[in-house]
Amino acid sequence: MKSVICDTNIWYDLANKKYDKSLLKRDQLIGTSINLREIASSPYLVSNLNLIVNVVKSITKFHDKIYIDNPMDHLITIFHKDYRADSITEENILKSFTTLININIDEIPAERFKEVKRRLNNITVPSQNLVDQINNGLPEIRLKIKQSIGKKKHRKADFTKIWKSFISELVLIYSKENCEKAYIIDVEDEKWKYLELFITIWERYFNKLELEKRKIRKNDWPDLFNLVYVQPGYKYWTSDKIWNRIIDENDKLKEYKYNYGTQQCIRSEEHTSELQSHSFIS
């Protein structure tokens, strides 16, 4: 039985019946905090609520467990085993999902949809501003690469240590603002081995972004952080070509990839309408 961390798009694909369930055998489908938050902030809550209901039902029916710690808390837990996260946001989302699949959508007042739309704007506008800022700076970065080491050497360079430092700094900032004390992660800590897929894809993704004529997408941020839940021995299932391409190009990452049709992975028995949640399991 394989443990499979799912990208949010997989729950949408299951809701849209893109996979032949009769071909699937029993492995563990695992949801994450990122999945919950992306669904709970989807614009489809306003434009296509029936789809969201079906997505929530797909998680309810097929998940084996859900990692409810957000990515920052999850990272801290890996390096500091004594840390206990407060996942009240995710717990509330789970409760709201359970309510959603048991209500009559036609009875929801129109004013409620307007309220949801205002809330979504408050979430998406700052996120899009950050993405625009990064994309606007890419031409200058590409020019500097061309004028210095060149594209060929840059593509072969390994910036893993730099990205470990970057992630460590994010954790430090987060812990100072949200935890009882500041948590420091040493870039030389051996526990980084549990984040091989996460840190390697971060490094390769931004390396490509700096060289290729493409832009970062708003959804790339949660996708990148969703990888923190994939530890050695686990599989990652995504229908996004970007992440599959990076995995396919890196021999040491191929073992993490879940391929539908060869290593099928859905539990055959159905779950109840109660969503189950789990914190980090080592």
Side-chain angles (χ1 to χ4, degrees), residues 107-267:
E107 295 179 357
I108 301 176
E111 186 58 35
R112 179 56 178 160
F113 286 99
K114 293 179 181 179
E115 178 186 338
V116 171
K117 188 173 183 179
R118 287 193 294 269
R119 179 174 62 83
L120 292 177
N121 285 336
N122 290 335
I123 296 173
T124 58
V125 171
S127 178
Q128 186 60 53
N129 289 341
L130 175 60
V131 168
D132 291 341
Q133 184 178 354
I134 294 173
N135 286 329
N136 290 337
L138 284 174
E140 182 179 352
I141 293 174
R142 290 166 182 155
L143 180 60
K144 288 182 178 179
I145 291 172
K146 183 178 180 181
Q147 295 175 339
S148 55
I149 66 173
K151 288 186 177 182
K152 189 173 182 178
K153 288 184 177 180
H154 187 84
R155 183 173 285 108
K156 293 181 178 180
D158 186 350
F159 301 99
T160 300
K161 196 167 185 177
I162 292 175
W163 284 108
K164 285 181 179 179
S165 297
F166 175 76
I167 298 300
S168 298
E169 183 63 23
L170 290 183
V171 168
L172 180 61
I173 294 171
Y174 172 84
S175 62
K176 284 181 177 180
E177 295 178 352
N178 298 278
C179 306
E180 293 182 356
K181 66 176 183 178
Y183 285 92
I184 298 173
I185 298 178
D186 189 342
V187 295
E188 302 296 339
D189 194 311
E190 64 174 9
K191 295 185 185 70
W192 281 104
K193 66 184 179 183
Y194 297 119
L195 295 163
E196 179 181 41
L197 181 70
F198 169 67
I199 200 65
T200 304
I201 287 187
W202 267 80
E203 192 274 336
R204 287 293 89 192
Y205 170 79
F206 281 98
N207 189 297
K208 289 178 176 294
L209 192 67
E210 292 162 353
L211 295 175
E212 300 173 0
K213 291 183 178 180
R214 62 179 305 274
K215 295 182 178 182
I216 188 172
R217 305 169 302 176
K218 184 176 62 178
N219 289 340
D220 288 351
W221 280 116
D223 284 356
L224 284 164
F225 276 108
N226 199 44
L227 298 167
V228 304
Y229 304 99
V230 188
Q231 54 187 312
Y234 280 39
K235 299 292 183 181
Y236 191 62
W237 194 9
T238 177
S239 57
D240 196 314
K241 293 180 180 179
I242 293 178
W243 315 125
N244 282 323
R245 175 189 170 193
I246 293 176
I247 292 173
D248 289 339
E249 291 175 347
N250 193 308
D251 288 338
K252 69 178 181 179
L253 298 185
K254 289 180 180 179
E255 64 185 61
Y256 290 97
K257 185 179 179 181
Y258 175 78
N259 295 297
Y260 167 76
T262 58
Q263 296 171 320
Q264 295 84 5
C265 90
I266 294 224
R267 294 176 64 89

